[in-house]
Amino acid sequence: MFTAADFIPNSYTSTIENGNFEWSAPSNIALVKYWGKKDNQIPANPSVSFTLNNCKTITKLGFEKRADQNSFSFDLLFEGKPKEDFKPKIQKFLERVEVYLPFLKDYHFTIDTQNTFPHSSGIASSASGMAALAMNFMSLEKLLNPEMTDEYFYQKASFLARLGSGSACRSVKGNVVVWGNQANIDGSTDLFGVEFPYSIHENFKNYQDTILLVDKGEKQVSSTVGHDLMHNHPYAERRFAQAHENLDQLIKIFENGNLDEFIKVVESEALTLHAMMMTSMPYFILMKPNTLQIINAIWKFRNETQIPVCFTLDAGANVHVLYPENVTEKVLQFIQDELVVFCQNRQYICDKIGNGAIAL
């Protein structure tokens, strides 16, 4: 069994003065949701996600050896401009991971990051952002420890990303990723995301996700606060059990390609996530009226056409419309005809299953 201590390096065999790396890491959309966590970013229940392809963060990391090694030293640029309000989150991340990356105070870092999608709009920008940063730090560690294996590199990158943002551990590798200990999934762990280890039916290859931007503003309740409200939540224990049950169902569904059953699990998970928010204390609602308009329109369209299109939601108002590749034309026509009116400035993003982080 892996423990966090396995990611603490003994010593480094090489030295390096300066250099830079650049990685892109995608967002991901959970099918079975994680909501609620224990200490040290450990999930209260397992989750599984589709890795996205187009919604990603691109982060360049410059590093230079320095004399004063008493504190962390970094500049943060967002889309080329200094971004002071992101700095506390990065500072906190560095504090959390220092024990696993003991070289962090040896260097001054310049972190230059940009997204291909709106920040804090309910598309998981913290997931892609923290995953991209973790990949860069691991690239530096691999220079300091050239014997590192690829497997260790990716496991540790996912482990570090999780300490920045839980769901970020699902943005490192693979197109379908499991995070959290699940008895029936070999290799699954609370410490990092793993590629789904079993066969996946052709129906799910190149699955499409069109993200309808209902509300591009900042969420009024952050995910961090939402997770905390699962402590002492009246339905928490039953919810955590339900996640395990739904993940077991998805193992079978991924193998047999049953889209009707897939739709039931995925939509139920999305609505359960928001039900947890509405029944916490204090309670809150992240859906908007247009979110509900879209859901009802999808149900009506699916009923009338028998086209296997469904929705899922993250912790926000935006709607992810999921569908197999072979119905793309019909679904995009439906979105154009009936759903864009519910999107802010008629905006939506076409995405699909991707493969994880890429070195640029």
Side-chain angles (χ1 to χ4, degrees), residues 103-297:
F103 60 81
L104 287 175
K105 285 180 179 166
D106 300 349
Y107 295 94
H108 174 75
F109 295 106
T110 303
I111 303 163
D112 193 349
T113 189
Q114 56 178 320
N115 292 335
T116 61
F117 56 89
H119 169 70
S120 289
S121 59
I123 302 174
S125 60
S126 57
S128 54
M130 287 298 175
L133 188 55
M135 300 312 293
N136 278 299
F137 282 137
M138 283 309 298
S139 294
L140 175 49
E141 185 168 72
K142 193 164 168 58
L143 288 184
L144 299 171
N145 178 20
E147 294 81 55
M148 186 187 293
T149 65
D150 274 0
E151 183 182 29
Y152 179 88
F153 177 92
Y154 282 102
Q155 285 175 344
K156 184 166 176 178
S158 177
F159 170 85
L160 295 171
R162 187 197 95 236
L163 293 173
S165 168
S167 56
C169 73
R170 299 191 309 244
S171 283
V172 167
K173 204 168 196 285
N175 37 36
V176 179
V177 179
V178 177
W179 169 38
N181 209 349
Q182 176 78 354
N184 297 341
I185 296 182
D186 293 340
S188 64
T189 168
D190 290 342
L191 296 180
F192 50 85
V194 299
E195 292 181 77
F196 183 78
Y198 309 126
S199 65
I200 293 179
H201 194 277
E202 281 300 311
N203 284 351
F204 298 107
K205 298 284 158 74
N206 224 12
Y207 221 72
Q208 305 291 301
D209 177 9
T210 299
I211 305 156
L212 307 180
L213 300 175
V214 172
D215 183 24
K216 289 164 64 182
E218 295 262 353
K219 298 181 300 207
Q220 63 277 44
V221 178
S222 75
S223 295
T224 304
V225 171
H227 283 294
D228 287 346
L229 292 175
M230 287 300 280
H231 296 298
N232 306 317
H233 192 294
Y235 307 124
E237 291 311 312
R238 181 67 200 102
R239 162 59 202 151
F240 301 148
Q242 178 197 36
H244 283 277
E245 292 155 17
N246 283 342
L247 189 44
D248 275 344
Q249 271 189 280
L250 273 182
I251 296 171
K252 294 195 245 2
I253 290 165
F254 280 141
E255 190 177 11
N256 63 28
N258 187 326
L259 292 174
D260 290 338
E261 290 302 310
F262 176 78
I263 287 167
K264 279 183 204 163
V265 170
V266 168
E267 291 191 340
S268 160
E269 275 285 319
L271 294 173
T272 302
L273 170 68
H274 285 261
M276 290 298 110
M277 298 171 193
M278 292 187 229
T279 48
S280 64
M281 190 60 74
Y283 39 79
F284 60 103
I285 299 178
L286 293 184
M287 290 196 238
K288 301 286 185 199
N290 282 356
T291 310
L292 298 175
Q293 296 275 19
I294 289 167
I295 289 171
N296 281 310

Side-chain angles (χ1 to χ4, degrees), residues 27-31 33 50 52 55 121-124 208-214 266-267 270 291 294-295 298 309-323 335 339 349 351-352:
S27 187
N28 65 74
I29 179 65
L31 307 170
K33 311 292 184 183
F50 281 157
L52 297 181
C55 287
S121 59
I123 302 174
Q208 305 291 301
D209 177 9
T210 299
I211 305 156
L212 307 180
L213 300 175
V214 172
V266 168
E267 291 191 340
T291 310
I294 289 167
I295 289 171
I298 288 171
V309 57
C310 70
F311 71 88
T312 188
L313 307 164
D314 253 344
N318 298 331
V319 182
H320 290 250
V321 185
L322 301 175
Y323 49 97
I335 288 169
L339 302 186
I349 298 170
D351 213 331
K352 61 182 180 181

Side-chain angles (χ1 to χ4, degrees), residues 7 12 20 31 63 74 87 90 105 118 151 155 185 189 196 214 223 229 236 270 305 326 337 347:
F7 293 119
Y12 295 126
N20 57 70
L31 307 170
F63 57 92
F74 65 95
K87 285 187 90 167
I90 303 294
K105 285 180 179 166
E151 183 182 29
Q155 285 175 344
I185 296 182
T189 168
F196 183 78
V214 172
S223 295
L229 292 175
T305 63
N326 64 357
D337 293 347
Q347 282 184 298

Side-chain angles (χ1 to χ4, degrees), residues 78-110:
F78 181 65
E79 295 175 351
K81 299 187 183 81
K83 184 82 172 168
E84 290 304 311
D85 53 340
F86 279 12
K87 285 187 90 167
K89 189 162 190 177
I90 303 294
Q91 176 74 21
K92 190 174 177 185
F93 175 62
L94 297 177
E95 288 165 6
R96 274 186 184 163
V97 302
E98 186 190 10
V99 62
Y100 309 107
L101 300 173
F103 60 81
L104 287 175
K105 285 180 179 166
D106 300 349
Y107 295 94
H108 174 75
F109 295 106
T110 303

